[in-house]
């Protein structure tokens, strides 16, 4: 079976990256931009950073801001009508997942008008044409929507979120500039950061994962675990902001192509029903999924397949041989070995077995806490996410949801 990997044609990273936008647009023969950005970013002058560049380059644009935090079918359809009236030939999405998801849906419908009802885009829609060219400029470090083939639109009438997956919607250019994220408040930094961490961990263990995706997710876990607490506590820390901007993008490169797990499977309907931020939903669910999926024998064969059975739990616990997965956990012994039993990893490093109880206790003692970041009552509901190593039934999700509530 062949493994597919879909990424942006071009991406820019680092402070001041947005300066490349006018030349990229001109170089591609694009003339007028349809700028999708939410009202708050316009109000606080974040969107103007890009608009000023377009003005100075003598380029035309029109701004569309009818975008809700959880964008709706109506937002998309209004945007389709607006871009048609504007005469724009490309989109610039400035914002978090809401702006970029809205732009994706608009761009797809323009080139595939048979999906104008929006609902028919749910799942893997059989679109035939690439969407209108989109330049994505994220202002949060979490969704990675600038590099994914996924987008989420809310069906208000039926009180549900629609997850849409389409290789034709990938943004042509991603401009990941940490300077566009400096105004994120503490709560938003934490929420979007937990979304990014969940992406990386679920993407690493999902059944679709393979060597190329594992490489990205491991690095993303390391970066986010180290720099998210700093970015939350020190919003002006340039190094932390840049690391989070890159870390969440790296996570998106992989999970977009291999899928996610139980946390996201429940976080989307939670957002639709309770209208809570997606990252907060992930944070509330994460510890329950840890407990549910904490098994010595997950169904996915992970790295080091020469062992008697998969080692997913040991790998997520923290360190595996000489490879440190997370700076927020202590060293763990692999659970594929019995307590006291001696073995070796693929590089010949000596390993000694540890108990399941010790490993789970250490995972759940992860110091990141939901009370301080989100102002909620739970003391310790954020830990490292335990990913979706198993196939889940409807009753499984009901059990998890009951525990979470």
């Amino acid at each position: 079976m062949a493994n597919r990997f879909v990424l942006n044609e071009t991406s820019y990273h680092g402070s001041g990256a947005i300066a490349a936008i006018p030349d990229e647009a001109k170089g591609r023969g694009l003339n007028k931009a349809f700028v999708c950005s939410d009202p708050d970013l316009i109000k606080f002058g974040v969107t103007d950073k890009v608009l000023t560049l377009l003005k100075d380059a003598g380029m035309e644009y029109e701004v569309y801001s009818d975008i809700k935090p959880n964008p709706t079918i109506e937002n998309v359809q209004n945007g389709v009508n607006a871009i048609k009236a504007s005469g724009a030939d490309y989109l610039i999405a400035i914002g978090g997942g809401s702006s970029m998801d809205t732009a994706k849906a608009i761009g797809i419908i323009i080139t595939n008008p048979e999906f104008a009802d929006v609902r028919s885009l749910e799942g893997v829609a059989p679109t035939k044409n690439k969407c209108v060219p989109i330049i994505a400029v994220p202002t949060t470090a979490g969704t990675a929507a600038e590099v994914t083939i996924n987008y989420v639109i809310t069906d208000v009438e039926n009180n549900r979120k629609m997850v849409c997956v389409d290789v034709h919607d990938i943004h042509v250019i991603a401009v990941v500039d940490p300077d566009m994220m400096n105004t994120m408040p503490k709560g938003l930094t934490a929420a979007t950061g937990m979304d990014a961490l969940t992406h990386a961990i679920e993407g690493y263990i999902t059944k679709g994962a393979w060597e190329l995706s594992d490489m990205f997710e491991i690095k993303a876990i390391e970066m986010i675990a180290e720099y998210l607490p700093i970015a939350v506590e020190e919003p002006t820390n340039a190094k932390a902001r840049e690391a989070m901007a890159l870390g969440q993008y790296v996570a998106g490169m992989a999970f977009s192509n291999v899928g996610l797990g139980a946390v996201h499977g429940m976080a989307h309907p939670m957002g639709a029903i309770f209208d809570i931020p997606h990252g907060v939903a992930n944070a509330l669910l994460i510890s329950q999924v840890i407990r549910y999926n904490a098994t010595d024998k997950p169904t996915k064969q992970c790295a080091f397949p020469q062992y008697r059975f998969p080692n997913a739990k040991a790998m997520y616990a923290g360190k595996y041989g000489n490879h440190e997965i997370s700076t927020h956990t202590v060293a763990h012994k692999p659970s594929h070995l019995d307590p006291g039993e001696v073995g070796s990893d693929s590089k010949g490093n000596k390993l000694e077995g540890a108990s399941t109880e010790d490993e789970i206790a250490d995972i759940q003692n992860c110091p990141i806490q939901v009370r301080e970041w989100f102002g909620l009552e739970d003391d310790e509901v954020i830990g490292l996410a335990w990913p979706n190593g198993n196939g889940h039934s409807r009753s499984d999700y009901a059990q998890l949801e009951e525990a979470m509530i």
Side-chain angles (χ1 to χ4, degrees):
M1 174 181 166
N3 293 306
R4 182 187 68 187
F5 228 73
V6 181
L7 300 171
N8 309 114
E9 288 183 14
T10 306
S11 64
Y12 291 86
H13 302 268
S15 178
I18 59 171
I21 293 175
D23 286 344
E24 274 287 351
K26 289 179 179 179
R28 293 170 183 270
L30 302 173
N31 298 302
K32 183 176 181 179
F34 188 74
V35 180
C36 293
S37 193
D38 70 65
D40 284 341
L41 291 176
I42 294 171
K43 177 180 177 181
F44 294 110
V46 178
T47 307
D48 276 341
K49 294 179 181 180
V50 175
L51 299 184
T52 298
L53 293 171
L54 297 177
K55 290 176 187 175
D56 292 346
M59 302 189 73
E60 291 186 84
Y61 65 84
E62 184 166 317
V63 176
Y64 178 71
S65 62
D66 183 13
I67 301 171
K68 293 184 177 179
N70 291 308
T72 66
I73 290 175
E74 183 180 13
N75 294 151
V76 173
Q77 292 176 330
N78 289 344
V80 169
N81 292 332
I83 191 173
K84 287 179 179 178
S86 72
D89 57 354
Y90 72 107
L91 294 100
I92 299 178
I94 305 171
S98 56
S99 295
M100 288 185 277
D101 285 3
T102 302
K104 287 178 181 178
I106 292 171
I108 280 289
I109 291 172
I110 290 297
T111 56
N112 299 271
E114 64 272 27
F115 294 93
D117 67 317
V118 184
R119 288 188 178 90
S120 58
L121 289 170
E122 185 174 13
V124 183
T127 61
K128 295 180 175 61
N129 304 307
K130 288 185 177 181
C131 73
V132 174
I134 304 174
I135 300 175
V137 185
T139 59
T140 64
T143 68
E146 69 274 12
V147 69
T148 69
I149 60 173
N150 317 307
Y151 58 100
V152 182
I153 303 298
T154 300
D155 182 349
V156 176
E157 184 178 338
N158 294 304
N159 199 30
R160 60 194 300 270
K161 281 192 173 184
M162 305 182 299
V163 179
C164 310
V165 182
D166 191 342
V167 294
H168 291 138
D169 69 30
I170 188 78
H171 294 146
V172 174
I173 302 168
V175 182
V176 187
D177 188 335
D179 295 344
M180 297 293 288
M181 305 173 187
N182 287 337
T183 59
M184 278 197 297
K186 183 175 181 177
L188 182 59
T189 299
T192 55
M194 284 307 302
D195 188 23
L197 182 60
T198 307
H199 288 158
I201 296 172
E202 289 200 295
Y204 180 50
I205 206 70
T206 184
K207 292 180 181 180
W210 56 297
E211 290 85 349
L212 183 58
S213 63
D214 287 350
M215 174 182 68
F216 291 119
E217 301 296 30
I218 290 171
K219 188 61 181 177
I221 292 168
E222 292 176 349
M223 294 179 71
I224 296 167
E226 180 175 358
Y227 288 103
L228 176 56
I230 300 172
V232 170
E233 297 300 337
E234 304 174 29
T236 58
N237 188 306
K239 184 177 180 180
R241 286 293 191 192
E242 187 155 0
M244 282 301 301
L246 181 58
Q248 62 89 35
Y249 181 90
V250 171
M253 292 171 72
F255 90 75
S256 174
N257 290 284
V258 300
L260 293 168
V263 176
H264 276 78
M266 293 186 292
H268 287 307
M270 278 181 64
I273 295 170
F274 300 111
D275 197 28
I276 63 174
H278 179 62
V280 175
N282 285 334
L284 290 169
L285 289 162
I286 225 168
S287 64
Q288 297 301 332
V289 174
I290 290 174
R291 294 183 177 93
Y292 179 79
N293 275 343
T295 172
D296 286 322
K297 297 182 180 181
T299 58
K300 183 209 169 186
Q301 181 69 49
C302 296
F304 312 110
Q306 71 273 25
Y307 291 133
R308 291 198 302 268
F309 51 79
N311 322 308
K313 185 166 67 177
M315 294 170 71
Y316 277 94
K319 292 182 179 179
Y320 203 106
N322 291 332
H323 181 75
E324 184 175 353
I325 296 295
S326 168
T327 59
H328 278 263
T329 56
V330 298
H332 287 70
K333 299 175 182 180
S335 61
H336 71 283
L337 297 173
D338 296 328
E341 183 181 356
V342 176
S344 62
D345 66 12
S346 61
K347 298 180 180 179
N349 298 308
K350 184 178 178 180
L351 301 174
E352 182 178 347
S355 70
T356 297
E357 291 75 15
D358 289 342
E359 289 177 349
I360 297 304
D362 282 336
I363 296 169
Q364 292 173 350
N365 283 333
C366 180
I368 302 173
Q369 295 187 355
V370 74
R371 172 180 290 176
E372 182 180 358
W373 282 7
F374 299 109
L376 301 175
E377 295 300 320
D378 308 88
D379 283 327
E380 194 76 53
V381 300
I382 299 180
L384 288 179
W386 205 271
N388 184 18
N390 304 313
H392 297 303
S393 67
R394 184 179 296 273
S395 62
D396 292 333
Y397 282 106
Q399 178 186 349
L400 280 167
E401 185 176 14
E402 181 180 356
M404 179 274 299
I405 292 173

